[in-house]
Amino acid sequence: MRALVTGGAGFIGSHLIDRLIGRGDEVVVLDNLSSGNLEFIQAHLDSGKATLVEGDITRFEDVEPAMKGIDCVFHLAANPDIRLGTRVTDTDLQQGTIATYNIVESMRLHDVKTIAFASSSVVYGEDAPLPTPENHGPCLPISLYGASKQAGEGLISSFVGTFGIQAYIFRFANIIGTRGTHGVIFDFIHKLKKDPSRLEVLGNGRQEKSYMEVGDCVDAILHVMSISDAPLNLYNLGSHDTASVRRIAEIVVETTGCHDASIEYTGGDRGWAGDIPRAMLGIEKMLSTGFDVRYNSEEAIRHTALALIEEIGLHEEMNT
Ligand code: NAD
């Protein structure tokens, strides 16, 4: 199969490419390298099993050349920073909504039949029952990022209904793991690297969410796609439990060895406007396909903290 991975140089995209190439697929990566890192996929580019089209998916003319001869699109490129929407109000519209239109419209013109889309738990908004099942509605997101994911889902389902493409929409929990370049664990480690004596935590630390290890996430995507064959397939992808931000701070302090760091909370029930303090996805539908995760939330957090500390060489740096 020839797969197009938008955002393939990013955190989740690069892990997905490892799996796709591992099973023998040919991969085209479409990425503008804004938050991605070529090093994550360099070995595949060097081997000739992946090719890079450097382009911006907000520009239709950049998408077109990458779509030729593609069997399946994995659409992951987007602005990864939910908080940015509190300052810049059209980023998610451009990088999420317009960009997703460019992808599905280009698929229609090139007769590409299948898309898998990286959506998010944040589409459910903050009043959803926990754990939240896929059939919860109405979905009323409270961030501009969430609105763009919901718009992307709507565009994709309308292209399924109108033009007969097949789609897999995956609503991810918080995905963490090696090569992470953003998110709470990454932020905490970098804060401690700057100042090992204190760790500032946004909010009161009681925010509670589920965390899924990135290898589990990409394995779940490919497993579900091999089992489920409806025209439109909607799945939550997450783990069995949650972890609080307070617990994450404690684990990061412990794993970095910054035992004397004082953990200081900025207060308030959420990290920033538009943040959802408590989220947990119902994963019964994912489990019913026969797939289960290897890591629970806390195991994934510990594994990620250790991996990111190693990746940025924190211990070596602190000992010099
Ligand atoms: P990431 O920032 O590591 O990857 C995004 C990639 O897209 C990067 O390589 C970036 O360079 C590229 N990109 C961004 N804008 C682009 C544009 N206009 N044109 C071309 N390329 C562009 O982020 P990630 O965590 O790997 O997220 C991948 C997808 O999963 C995103 O759609 C994100 O919204 C979604 N998601 C992530 C999480 C999570 O916890 N990481 C949770 C829910 C959903």
Side-chain angles (χ1 to χ4, degrees):
M1 189 182 77
R2 190 171 157 88
L4 172 65
V5 183
T6 75
F11 162 50
I12 303 172
S14 64
H15 283 276
L16 177 66
I17 289 173
D18 289 345
R19 300 295 198 275
L20 292 173
I21 287 179
R23 74 177 191 186
D25 289 359
E26 204 185 312
V27 174
V28 178
V29 181
L30 176 57
D31 203 299
N32 68 357
L33 304 178
S34 54
S35 58
N37 183 344
L38 264 192
E39 278 176 27
F40 296 162
I41 55 167
Q42 194 60 53
H44 300 309
L45 297 176
D46 291 344
S47 74
K49 290 181 178 149
T51 45
L52 174 69
V53 177
E54 203 172 326
D56 188 328
I57 59 166
T58 64
R59 293 160 48 91
F60 190 72
E61 60 273 30
D62 283 8
V63 176
E64 280 269 275
M67 203 58 80
K68 292 191 183 94
I70 295 297
D71 301 302
C72 178
V73 176
F74 293 86
H75 176 33
L76 277 77
N79 157 49
D81 179 7
I82 306 187
R83 247 181 293 179
L84 184 64
T86 60
R87 290 181 283 112
V88 186
T89 57
D90 68 346
T91 301
D92 295 302
L93 176 71
Q94 301 294 340
Q95 314 265 346
T97 311
I98 304 287
T100 301
Y101 166 76
N102 287 343
I103 297 296
V104 283
E105 173 63 357
S106 182
M107 286 176 65
R108 181 182 76 83
L109 295 175
H110 287 273
D111 203 24
V112 178
K113 290 290 180 218
T114 307
I115 183 170
F117 176 55
S119 187
S120 164
S121 62
V122 299
V123 297
Y124 291 119
E126 70 176 331
D127 292 324
L130 302 182
T132 315
E134 287 84 349
N135 61 8
H136 168 73
C139 284
L140 296 170
I142 60 165
S143 60
L144 302 186
Y145 169 93
S148 78
K149 288 298 183 195
Q150 192 180 29
E153 291 188 2
L155 280 164
I156 288 168
S157 77
S158 65
F159 270 67
V160 171
T162 308
F163 302 111
I165 66 170
Q166 184 184 34
Y168 296 83
I169 294 173
F170 295 106
R171 292 179 177 157
F172 297 165
N174 283 64
I175 309 301
I176 56 175
T178 56
R179 304 180 196 152
T181 52
H182 52 90
V184 59
I185 303 170
F186 181 88
D187 285 350
F188 284 175
I189 293 173
H190 280 268
K191 279 180 178 171
L192 284 171
K193 183 179 169 197
K194 245 182 162 171
D195 181 359
S197 68
R198 66 183 283 269
L199 176 60
E200 183 195 67
V201 175
L202 301 180
N204 58 17
R206 288 192 214 112
Q207 306 96 298
E208 187 138 348
K209 302 178 187 182
S210 46
Y211 293 83
M212 184 185 209
E213 195 272 329
V214 65
D216 280 339
C217 172
V218 296
D219 284 343
I221 291 173
L222 297 180
H223 177 81
V224 166
M225 291 177 78
S226 72
I227 295 279
S228 182
D229 199 29
L232 181 59
N233 307 272
L234 171 64
Y235 283 82
N236 288 339
L237 299 185
S239 59
H240 290 267
D241 56 4
T242 59
S244 68
V245 171
R246 185 175 292 262
R247 186 71 195 119
I248 297 173
E250 288 165 1
I251 293 172
V252 172
V253 164
E254 187 195 315
T255 48
T256 52
C258 299
H259 301 292
D260 296 332
S262 66
I263 302 177
E264 296 166 15
Y265 298 92
T266 60
D269 71 341
R270 65 193 72 209
W272 58 88
D275 182 27
I276 294 171
R278 294 186 68 237
M280 183 175 181
L281 293 170
I283 57 168
E284 290 307 315
K285 195 171 171 189
M286 176 192 86
L287 295 173
S288 75
T289 66
F291 180 85
D292 202 352
V293 291
R294 290 170 302 157
Y295 294 90
N296 66 26
S297 290
E298 192 162 325
E299 287 163 349
I301 290 160
R302 195 172 289 280
H303 165 81
T304 301
L306 290 168
L308 295 185
I309 289 165
E310 174 90 16
E311 278 177 16
I312 64 172
L314 185 77
H315 285 150
E316 290 77 356
E317 203 163 296
M318 284 175 140
N319 291 330
T320 53

